[in-house]
Amino acid sequence: MFEVIYMKADYEPWWAFEGWEEHIVKKMTFEQEEEAINYLNQTLDEFRVKFPNEQAKGDKYWAFWSMKEQCYCESCEDELQIYHGLIWNTPK
């Protein structure tokens, strides 16, 4: 199975902090790699139009963000950036 996972959190997806699964917005599962790659590329294209900033780690993680989208952290008394992360998960 091939998966494309969309998560939204105040950290980039490659950190995968404990409980990161709670930040999953959408998970798409595909049996065919070609179908999964098409979906991933379509989603990447959409995010590149929607968000002005992008960073990637390897061929597995992408983070997108806009400086306008932040949330307030009470414990650190500061604004935190919100990231829209995509994760490409392939069979091992």
Side-chain angles (χ1 to χ4, degrees):
M1 298 296 247
F2 299 88
E3 292 180 326
V4 178
I5 300 169
Y6 166 35
M7 64 174 284
K8 182 178 173 182
D10 59 0
Y11 54 87
E12 296 93 336
W14 47 84
W15 292 112
F17 292 124
E18 184 176 329
W20 74 269
E21 295 92 346
E22 297 170 17
H23 298 282
I24 292 175
V25 174
K26 185 177 188 179
K27 182 191 290 190
M28 296 294 292
T29 304
F30 304 89
E31 291 191 24
Q32 301 298 319
E33 183 176 19
E34 182 178 350
E35 186 180 6
I37 289 172
N38 287 339
Y39 177 81
L40 173 64
N41 287 331
Q42 176 184 348
T43 306
L44 287 169
D45 289 344
E46 290 173 11
F47 279 28
R48 287 177 176 136
V49 169
K50 190 172 181 179
F51 302 105
N53 302 295
E54 174 183 355
Q55 187 173 359
K57 281 262 194 204
D59 295 333
K60 184 174 179 170
Y61 301 102
W62 294 264
F64 295 87
W65 69 97
S66 168
M67 297 305 289
K68 297 176 185 176
E69 191 174 9
Q70 299 183 357
C71 66
Y72 185 74
C73 172
E74 290 186 28
S75 62
C76 57
E77 298 181 353
D78 200 4
E79 294 288 327
L80 299 178
Q81 183 62 56
I82 297 296
Y83 295 95
H84 297 266
L86 291 177
I87 302 170
W88 169 243
N89 197 11
T90 60
K92 295 178 171 115

